């Protein structure tokens, strides 16, 4: 064959292999193997092995946040397991936590174990004390382990925050949920797997067949959000409109009289690192967004006051939970809620920061 033909054949084979691999993890995929007697686990496992990948162990954990130790291997044959990949400054992960907490409360005594695999995006999320503080703040009672080196993330071939994997009583990964949403489908799958567990163990179980939303859940209409996550650091600041993108070091910037939607504008002198941009004093941020809520990942060595303006006025009833009297106080390395609007729409956010030392990481929206 010609080289071009050979290359084409190889490409087709690689693509087909990738599709087969990814199909193993398809969400909402039901077990459709050959029917066997309910008590014959060997035959059942042989059929499952034709369809599903086997569970991966927690690999090279960097620490255990709220548990002395836990392994997936010790739970297989006893529990249904939900593995949740998350990181604490991710708003998509934060909005998923109320559902995980509810499921843990509802189904833990019926055989569900949840393991939060905390895989950090930013350097400060490697700090186990920061993660422990976040676990307490979110009221998480299920076990959380640190995956600072991405070892477990890589073993699962994971790609997203958040992403959940359901492992059945026999240790097979039978369900995968990517990102937020599909909570009813995930809960129904948990219920189905708990019924299978009860049958496999020969025990009686009264598993609910209804689903619910937690009282503190935040609903999001993604079709109404016109702004995407926007990074400040030189590593990913492609939306920086009035400065040099992808460049570390100090930049003196001026905010123009008119701004474009979904572009980041900084005023004053900012010092850019790979993950964040840091204030030097008397600095400002302007962002014209299209959403309902605005979240800000930031930190400072000392408590730093940030004046929040919305559409040219001090923020009022739309102030987020981290804003009091029009001012957000930034210090801890975490996600801050700046705007909690009543409806989706386009608005201009302006932040004035008088003090040096504030590190701005991202804006995210809801």
């Amino acid at each position: 064959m010609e080289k071009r033909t050979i290359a084409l054949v190889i490409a087709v084979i690689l693509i087909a292999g990738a599709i087969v691999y990814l199909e193993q993890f398809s969400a909402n995929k039901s077990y459709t193997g050959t029917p066997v007697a309910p008590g014959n686990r060997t035959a059942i496992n042989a059929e499952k092995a034709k369809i599903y990948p086997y569970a991966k162990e927690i690999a090279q954990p960097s620490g255990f946040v709220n548990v002395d130790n836990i392994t997936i291997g010790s739970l297989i044959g006893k529990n249904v397991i939900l593995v949740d990949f998350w990181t604490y400054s991710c708003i998509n992960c934060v909005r998923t936590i109320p559902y995980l907490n509810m499921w843990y409360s509802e189904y833990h005594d019926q055989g569900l174990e949840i393991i939060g695999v905390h895989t950090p995006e930013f350097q400060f999320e490697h700090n186990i004390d920061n993660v422990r503080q976040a676990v307490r703040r979110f009221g998480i009672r299920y076990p959380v382990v640190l995956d600072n080196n991405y070892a477990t993330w890589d073993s699962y071939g994971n790609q997203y925050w958040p992403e959940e994997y359901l492992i059945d009583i026999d240790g097979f990964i039978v369900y995968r949920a990517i990102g937020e949403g599909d909570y009813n489908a995930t809960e129904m799958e948990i219920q189905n797997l708990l019924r299978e567990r009860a049958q496999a163990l020969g025990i009686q179980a009264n598993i609910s067949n209804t689903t619910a939303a937690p009282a503190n859940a935040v609903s999001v209409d993604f079709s109404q959000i016109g702004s995407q996550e926007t990074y400040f650091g030189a590593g990913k600041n492609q939306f920086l409109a009035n400065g040099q993108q992808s460049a570390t070091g100090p930049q003196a910037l001026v905010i123009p009289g008119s701004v474009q939607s979904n572009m980041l504008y900084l005023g004053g002198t900012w010092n850019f690192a790979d993950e964040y941009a840091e204030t030097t004093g008397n600095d400002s941020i302007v962002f014209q967004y299209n959403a309902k809520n605005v979240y800000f990942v930031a930190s400072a060595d000392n408590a730093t006051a940030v004046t929040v303006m919305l559409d040219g006025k001090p923020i009022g009833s739309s102030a987020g939970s981290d804003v009091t009297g029009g001012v957000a106080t930034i210090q801890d390395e975490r996600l801050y809620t700046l705007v909690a609007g009543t409806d989706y729409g386009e608005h201009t956010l302006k932040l004035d920061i008088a003090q040096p030392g504030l590190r701005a990481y991202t804006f995210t929206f809801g």
Side-chain angles (χ1 to χ4, degrees):
M1 295 184 190
E2 294 183 1
K3 290 182 179 179
R4 185 182 305 171
T5 303
I6 294 172
L8 179 61
V9 170
I10 293 172
V12 169
I13 292 171
L14 290 174
I15 292 170
I19 291 171
V20 170
Y21 176 77
L22 291 173
E23 272 294 307
Q24 297 182 100
F25 294 96
S26 295
N28 301 312
K29 186 175 181 180
S30 300
Y31 170 60
T32 56
T34 304
V36 296
N40 190 343
R41 302 314 297 175
T42 300
I44 289 172
N45 286 347
E47 289 300 313
K48 287 183 178 180
K50 298 175 184 177
I51 305 171
Y52 304 117
Y54 202 70
K56 313 298 190 295
E57 187 54 86
I58 297 168
Q60 304 171 30
S62 306
F64 297 90
V65 176
N66 57 352
V67 66
D68 290 336
N69 190 20
I70 192 167
T71 65
I72 289 174
S74 67
L75 298 170
I76 292 173
K78 303 174 185 177
N79 294 86
V80 172
I81 309 162
L82 188 158
V83 177
D84 172 59
F85 286 91
W86 73 297
T87 189
Y88 80 81
S89 74
C90 161
I91 185 56
N92 309 93
C93 302
V94 171
R95 289 193 291 247
T96 302
I97 289 171
Y99 289 89
L100 295 170
N101 281 338
M102 181 184 71
W103 296 335
Y104 191 75
S105 176
E106 177 73 19
Y107 301 112
H108 180 62
D109 290 343
Q110 296 176 305
L112 174 69
E113 186 59 88
I114 298 176
I115 301 175
V117 179
H118 186 274
T119 312
E121 179 177 12
F122 298 113
Q123 189 61 38
F124 64 78
E125 292 173 310
H126 289 69
N127 186 326
I128 194 168
D129 291 331
N130 285 349
V131 182
R132 284 183 172 139
Q133 185 178 11
V135 165
R136 289 192 295 268
R137 185 167 64 251
F138 299 136
I140 294 173
R141 295 190 298 112
Y142 51 84
V144 175
V145 303
L146 291 187
D147 185 35
N148 285 352
N149 298 319
Y150 281 61
T152 305
W153 174 288
D154 289 340
S155 72
Y156 275 79
N158 196 70
Q159 300 180 56
Y160 304 98
W161 293 284
E163 190 162 353
E164 287 85 36
Y165 298 80
L166 276 173
I167 302 168
D168 70 7
I169 182 68
D170 298 309
F172 292 93
I173 303 171
V174 298
Y175 180 91
R176 176 187 183 187
I178 298 173
E180 298 180 67
D182 289 332
Y183 299 117
N184 288 339
T186 302
E187 185 173 4
M188 286 189 290
E189 190 66 23
I190 290 170
Q191 293 166 351
N192 290 335
L193 294 178
L194 290 175
R195 292 188 192 99
E196 183 195 21
R197 170 186 180 270
Q199 184 182 59
L201 297 179
I203 60 177
Q204 295 294 319
N206 184 21
I207 308 298
S208 173
N209 59 5
T210 62
T211 63
N216 59 339
V218 176
S219 61
V220 181
D221 184 350
F222 290 101
S223 69
Q224 299 268 21
I225 299 175
S227 300
Q228 61 181 300
E229 185 168 14
T230 300
Y231 291 85
F232 287 73
K236 296 182 179 180
N237 64 356
Q238 68 268 31
F239 298 116
L240 177 64
N242 65 330
Q244 185 179 353
Q245 300 172 1
S246 306
T248 58
Q251 295 188 45
L253 305 172
V254 177
I255 297 173
S258 62
V259 300
Q260 299 179 53
S261 296
N262 299 321
M263 297 299 291
L264 178 64
Y265 295 85
L266 304 180
T269 299
W270 289 77
N271 192 21
F272 289 84
D274 186 63
E275 290 191 348
Y276 59 83
E278 185 171 0
T279 61
T280 60
N282 295 318
D283 302 304
S284 56
I285 304 168
V286 171
F287 196 91
Q288 187 170 299
Y289 67 92
N290 197 323
K292 182 167 65 172
N293 302 331
V294 182
Y295 307 93
F296 185 39
V297 178
S299 67
D301 291 333
N302 302 300
T304 300
V306 176
T307 301
V308 183
M309 307 282 289
L310 193 63
D311 297 328
K313 302 175 184 177
I315 194 167
S317 60
S318 294
S321 57
D322 290 299
V323 178
T324 301
V327 174
T329 302
I330 306 295
Q331 184 168 13
D332 293 340
E333 297 166 316
R334 65 177 179 88
L335 178 110
Y336 294 83
T337 303
L338 298 184
V339 181
T342 57
D343 203 357
Y344 297 92
E346 188 167 78
H347 301 278
T348 299
L349 176 68
K350 184 173 188 287
L351 306 181
D352 289 318
I353 310 145
Q355 297 169 249
L358 180 140
R359 294 177 288 275
Y361 290 82
T362 69
F363 279 141
T364 51
F365 306 89

